[in-house]
Amino acid sequence: MTAAVSGARSVINRGLVLTTLGLLGVAGVMVLALGFTPVEATQGLAQKIFYVHVPAAFTALWVAVPATACAGLLYLWLHDPRLDRFAAASAEVSLVFCLVVLVTGPIWARPIWGAWWTWDGRLTLTLFLFFLLLGYQTMRAAIRDPVERARFSAVLGAMGLVLVPFIHLSVYLWRGLHPKPIVLKPGDPSLPPEMLHTLLYGLGAALLLYVGFVTLRYGIQLAQDQREAADAR
Amino acid sequence: MGNLFRLALVLAGKDLRLELRTRTSIISAAVFAALVLIVFNFARDPTAVATLDLAPSVLWVTVAFASVLAMNRGFLVERENAAFDGLLLAPVPREALFLGKYLANFAFVMLVEAIALPLFVLFFNLDLSHALGGLVLTMLLATMGFVAVGTIFSAMVVKTRFAELMLPVLLLPFMVPPLILAVKTTVPLFAGRPLSEVVDGLRFLAIYDIVFLTLAVLLFPAVVDE
């Protein structure tokens, strides 16, 4: 019992260290972006938000959400509570990253597009992903039985992942305003090397922050689960 | 395989018989659809917005809300007297159980749409005789997909607190692609364009139906098995 609690404690400590490093990394990226990266010719200073916005979007859409869905599907197969704890932690962190994307996007869009929001494919996709993740959290909060909660979350996660391309394709039929991919596309990235380096540092910091947050959330959930198991005994 | 569908039809028949004898849900869903149509009629300025510009959105928003309301019923009726435990104990494959509930929900939602459509034509003073075939096809294809998602979600939310509120929160994001495609298909149809112009949208709806129906059948055992 005490050994188990100290296990959760060490996970939380590890999460705190990683989160601190991630936050320092994000601060470093801001310094790098503002002080040591050239100002974009047409967009000016507004473009600086790109170094926060793009890494957050990439981490949420390409790492955190697929990881949640995959952990859920593996849970349905292996029934290991660790997988559900990871899926829940990852979903919660995805929600935060989606929120960062949805807040930084309009701040940039206002001076550049002249509108806070448009119903472009990617914006709509991120918004619905945000609502899906919100629904995921709401449903988790409404189920008491941990095994049932894990199974339902896994089902919702898998369905959500399949939904994402459908939303993207159906909205894509309308023309989009969003800047086209500049790094993850066939051929060389169309960014000056300084900007690309800052972006890659930003991505590294975002991923580190994701790992830190997930570890922290996992540790807290582990401690809660152990406490509940001890109370039930 | 034939046995699976026979069992599914028996289950769907049970649900529909239950519904036709009490008629509580179907009447409330139909009244709800009528009220939404009436509210929409007063929410627009008839001198500023042409009816035809607004009609497709009004139709599909009404259908979406009424369907969510209708799909809540599927597993709520099984909650009383732990009837669902009885169904689970029956020697029936889970897939047949899902398909039975799915068929009942599908019939139920189509019935609500069949009541809402004439009211819509009446209130909005539209002539849809040229578009009726395409519209019914669009309604069938759009409904098939989101009812599959709605059926599996209603089996989940019935185990939660606030089930009636939880279903729309989970389901509405999944209704977005079929609704976007349905509206995009309905606009040219209302404008008198031929069916051949909207084939792409219908094809996309069919892909959504196949993907989500398959996924729901595969995942349903994970929802009900203890």
Side-chain angles (χ1 to χ4, degrees):
Chain A
M1 159 77 201
T2 41
V5 168
S6 77
R9 165 61 62 191
S10 80
V11 175
I12 292 175
N13 284 338
R14 218 174 306 151
L16 280 173
V17 171
L18 286 168
T19 306
T20 313
L21 288 175
L23 287 173
L24 286 174
V26 171
V29 169
M30 286 177 178
V31 172
L32 205 60
L34 292 174
F36 301 92
T37 310
V39 175
E40 215 267 345
T42 51
Q43 299 182 8
L45 284 173
Q47 182 266 345
K48 298 290 182 196
I49 212 160
F50 164 85
Y51 303 110
V52 176
H53 180 78
V54 174
F58 180 86
T59 310
L61 264 66
W62 290 97
V63 181
V65 171
T68 304
C70 291
L73 282 176
L74 281 174
Y75 175 86
L76 289 182
W77 182 32
L78 301 169
H79 300 286
D80 187 336
R82 283 179 297 180
L83 286 166
D84 175 57
R85 230 174 273 141
F86 170 77
S90 183
E92 206 170 304
V93 181
S94 314
L95 190 65
V96 175
F97 276 79
C98 266
L99 192 63
V100 169
V101 176
L102 287 174
V103 169
T104 53
I107 295 176
W108 172 86
R110 178 68 190 162
I112 303 299
W113 289 343
W116 294 105
W117 185 263
T118 67
W119 291 102
D120 165 88
R122 293 188 200 194
L123 275 69
T124 314
L125 175 68
T126 315
L127 185 66
F128 276 104
L129 201 58
F130 179 74
F131 280 123
L132 266 177
L133 290 163
L134 216 53
Y136 186 94
Q137 295 300 335
T138 321
M139 193 193 65
R140 284 191 75 90
I143 308 174
R144 204 161 290 159
D145 177 35
V147 178
E148 204 157 67
R149 184 170 58 212
R151 282 190 285 118
F152 290 5
S153 308
V155 169
L156 187 56
M159 308 261 303
L161 190 66
V162 177
L163 179 69
V164 165
F166 275 98
I167 293 188
H168 193 59
L169 279 172
S170 55
V171 183
Y172 199 73
L173 297 173
W174 279 315
R175 78 264 174 277
L177 253 185
H178 197 281
K180 293 289 167 279
I182 45 175
V183 180
L184 281 180
K185 59 160 193 175
D188 287 335
S190 43
L191 262 187
E194 297 90 347
M195 288 188 179
L196 182 62
H197 288 159
T198 307
L199 179 65
L200 290 178
Y201 283 129
L203 190 58
L207 287 173
L208 193 60
L209 202 57
Y210 167 73
V211 175
F213 278 152
V214 169
T215 314
L216 201 56
R217 195 68 195 80
Y218 182 97
I220 293 169
Q221 191 62 51
L222 182 64
Q224 268 173 4
D225 290 352
Q226 285 168 349
R227 180 60 195 265
E228 270 166 32
D231 284 349
R233 228 176 285 146
Chain B
M1 199 63 182
N3 197 35
L4 191 75
F5 282 106
R6 200 179 49 78
L7 286 169
L9 283 176
V10 170
L11 273 163
K14 168 195 86 74
D15 269 25
L16 290 175
R17 209 156 42 241
L18 193 69
E19 185 47 48
L20 289 176
R21 282 186 189 154
T22 56
R23 280 188 291 270
T24 43
S25 306
I26 188 74
I27 289 176
S28 39
V31 170
F32 176 78
L35 283 172
V36 172
L37 286 172
I38 292 168
V39 169
F40 262 120
N41 199 46
F42 288 112
R44 87 196 154 97
D45 177 2
T47 54
V49 187
T51 312
L52 202 59
D53 293 340
L54 208 63
S57 328
V58 170
L59 175 66
W60 285 103
V61 169
T62 308
V63 164
F65 287 167
S67 314
V68 173
L69 201 70
M71 276 185 285
N72 248 325
R73 179 208 55 99
F75 285 90
L76 274 178
V77 293
E78 305 288 355
R79 193 155 70 173
E80 273 168 50
N81 305 325
F84 197 60
D85 291 339
L87 272 185
L88 288 177
L89 283 173
V92 173
R94 302 296 186 239
E95 288 78 12
L97 206 58
F98 174 80
L99 284 175
K101 282 289 175 192
Y102 170 75
L103 288 175
N105 269 342
F106 181 67
F108 193 61
V109 172
M110 285 311 293
L111 196 59
V112 174
E113 288 177 18
I115 296 171
L117 188 61
L119 288 175
F120 166 75
V121 172
L122 179 75
F123 288 156
F124 282 77
N125 223 346
L126 291 166
D127 178 19
L128 295 183
S129 48
H130 57 282
L132 199 61
L135 188 59
V136 170
L137 187 63
T138 311
M139 281 185 147
L140 279 170
L141 284 174
T143 310
M144 269 173 81
F146 70 67
V147 168
V149 183
T151 304
I152 191 168
F153 282 0
S154 71
M156 282 167 27
V157 298
V158 76
K159 302 275 188 70
T160 66
R161 290 166 280 163
F162 337 110
E164 292 86 350
L165 201 58
M166 193 69 73
L167 187 63
V169 168
L170 296 183
L171 185 56
L172 282 173
F174 285 84
M175 291 177 95
V176 166
L179 286 184
I180 289 177
L181 292 163
V183 169
K184 282 187 83 70
T185 310
T186 313
V187 171
L189 285 176
F190 278 12
R193 316 298 302 175
L195 199 59
S196 56
E197 271 189 25
V198 296
V199 162
D200 281 345
L202 293 177
R203 196 178 293 151
F204 200 176
L205 278 174
I207 295 172
Y208 180 95
D209 296 348
I210 294 167
V211 168
F212 277 96
L213 191 53
T214 313
L215 202 61
V217 170
L218 290 176
L219 288 173
F220 186 70
V223 172
V224 292
D225 280 335
E226 300 286 323

